[in-house]
Amino acid sequence: MQAEVEAPATARPVGMVAIVGRPNVGKSTLVNALVGERVSITSRKPQTTRDKVLGVRTDDNAQYIFVDTPGFQRRHRNALSRRMNDTVTRALHGVDAIIQVIEAGGWTDADTEVLQLLPPQSTNVILAINKSDLLADRDKMLPLMADSMQRYQFRAIVPVSAEKSRQLDDLLEEVRPLLPEGMLLFDAEQYTDRSARFLAAESVREKAYRLLGDELPYGIAVTIDRWDESRATPQIAATLIVERDTHRPIVIGKDGAKLREISRLARADIEQMLGKPVFLEVWVRVKRGWNDDVRALKSLGYD
Ligand SMILES: Nc1nc2c(ncn2[C@@H]2O[C@H](COP(=O)(O)OP(=O)(O)OP(=O)(O)O)[C@@H](O)[C@H]2O)c(=O)[nH]1
Ligand SMILES: [Mg+2]
């Protein structure tokens, strides 16, 4: 997808920056804030991101290619979570910089496990302490930064608020010197490697995550079954796949109200992304145990 940015075609710092951390610390919110577009879905439930997603920010003085990753999980519950952890580990290779994200509330065991994935002697790892807006006692930040330095030789530690877009420039200032000089890897107006179709499916999944109770989201996948942009109003059909028969009525809701709301909110996002009205229908289908079935995962695009 594309945004409107002009940039001269001269060499400048250009490189890949992996964003890693335990589930729910705000990695995707941070990537969206840094890029200035919604490239990766977010929710207050952990394990929202399932796939690596690139978010590109092109400034006059640098191009940052952020790699949003799934939250690293301590336990593998099924084939999907195994694959999500593999995605995190692979994302750490071949990047120019790594940002580990933790919350301002402090280190947890799950954060420490992420630390163990980092290259032991790297000088290219930055710590972002996110959700600084939630820290009631600002005096706690300095000790937290000092404690963090004891845990790993971070190149820099930057408190940020992804949600409120605070101190993101400070973070970019720390990242820029780590990027090699080069020509742009993405067109200046391109902000992600993902297609509109993928973003649309993710938008439907995001609304389901946000509108459904805690028990359901991990068993939800979304496929796009029809994508017809040949008409003035693009025609899109999506299917919400659930794991169990008993989940179907929950997703549909009383008289179809829940599904209509998911569909309405997703349509608004897709319309904004495509810049025109769309026709979206969302269906529900049961595919038992899909998230622990390697073949089913492949067919759903989790390859
Ligand atoms: N108060 C506050 N909330 C935030 C901030 N950044 C993210 N959040 C919230 O934290 C929750 C998790 O955000 P995500 O961006 O989905 O987190 P994530 O690390 O990508 O999560 P996974 O993909 O599940 O690993 C959401 O409810 C966000 O709105 C922040 O700076 N301040
Ligand atoms: Mg995420």
Side-chain angles (χ1 to χ4, degrees):
M1 290 305 297
Q2 311 212 316
E4 280 168 30
V5 184
E6 281 287 329
T10 50
R12 64 187 109 174
V14 173
M16 310 271 291
V17 185
I19 314 275
V20 296
R22 73 169 159 84
N24 215 38
V25 290
K27 299 176 294 299
S28 301
T29 307
L30 180 62
V31 170
N32 291 340
L34 289 165
V35 169
E37 297 281 347
R38 301 211 24 171
V39 297
S40 197
I41 63 168
T42 64
S43 86
R44 62 183 174 77
K45 303 191 177 89
Q47 287 143 53
T48 304
T49 305
R50 286 189 181 152
D51 236 324
K52 183 177 92 172
V53 176
L54 301 189
V56 185
R57 176 191 174 108
T58 306
D59 292 339
D60 287 345
N61 59 2
Q63 181 170 71
Y64 308 84
I65 302 154
F66 297 105
V67 187
D68 188 20
T69 63
F72 191 77
Q73 298 171 66
R74 310 182 66 196
R75 270 195 302 275
H76 296 299
R77 291 184 311 170
N78 51 36
L80 176 63
S81 52
R82 232 178 350 263
R83 181 189 174 281
M84 283 159 66
N85 273 7
D86 287 348
T87 302
V88 181
T89 317
R90 278 199 311 269
L92 291 168
H93 294 287
V95 292
D96 302 295
I98 297 170
I99 299 176
Q100 179 176 358
V101 183
I102 64 166
E103 289 184 5
W107 286 83
T108 66
D109 291 347
D111 295 315
T112 309
E113 262 174 56
V114 174
L115 205 54
Q116 278 147 21
L117 305 174
L118 301 176
Q121 301 292 335
S122 175
T123 53
N124 289 9
V125 184
I126 293 167
L127 183 70
I129 303 181
N130 190 33
K131 308 196 185 181
S132 61
D133 56 293
L134 294 180
L135 196 65
D137 183 359
R138 301 208 138 252
D139 293 345
K140 293 222 165 99
M141 190 54 87
L142 276 178
L144 175 57
M145 291 168 78
D147 171 40
S148 303
M149 248 352 195
Q150 298 296 316
R151 294 167 186 261
Y152 188 90
Q153 279 294 316
F154 291 106
R155 179 181 196 93
I157 299 181
V158 188
V160 296
S161 169
E163 189 114 307
K164 311 248 184 250
S165 284
R166 284 190 201 143
Q167 283 184 270
L168 301 185
D169 287 342
D170 296 344
L171 187 58
L172 292 169
E173 289 281 302
E174 296 293 347
V175 172
R176 196 178 329 116
L178 301 176
L179 308 182
E181 287 273 326
M183 301 307 283
L184 298 187
L185 293 173
F186 284 84
D187 288 344
E189 65 279 2
Q190 195 174 352
Y191 62 80
T192 181
D193 62 327
R194 295 299 193 153
S195 62
R197 198 182 161 120
F198 173 86
L199 298 181
E202 286 287 89
S203 177
V204 175
R205 195 163 66 82
E206 178 181 78
K207 306 316 170 199
Y209 262 59
R210 291 182 176 190
L211 293 181
L212 297 170
D214 284 341
E215 70 284 10
L216 268 185
Y218 313 112
I220 283 180
V222 176
T223 57
I224 299 288
D225 309 310
R226 189 151 71 96
W227 185 274
D228 180 359
E229 280 193 81
S230 66
R231 306 190 205 185
T233 305
Q235 311 279 303
I236 304 167
T239 302
L240 258 166
I241 295 170
V242 295
E243 239 187 331
R244 300 205 186 109
D245 296 318
T246 51
H247 290 168
R248 202 184 144 87
I250 303 176
V251 173
I252 293 171
K254 191 165 182 299
D255 301 326
K258 198 65 117 185
L259 191 58
R260 267 201 307 282
E261 185 65 357
I262 291 172
S263 174
R264 187 182 68 79
L265 293 170
R267 194 189 65 221
D269 272 12
I270 298 167
E271 289 183 337
Q272 202 193 2
M273 172 171 76
L274 297 181
K276 56 182 157 186
V278 303
F279 176 77
L280 170 69
E281 46 181 14
V282 183
W283 302 87
V284 182
R285 191 155 66 82
V286 180
K287 193 165 185 161
R288 280 179 208 86
W290 67 265
N291 58 17
D292 201 17
D293 174 346
V294 174
R295 270 182 53 195
L297 285 175
K298 275 197 175 163
S299 75
L300 292 170
Y302 296 115
D303 201 352

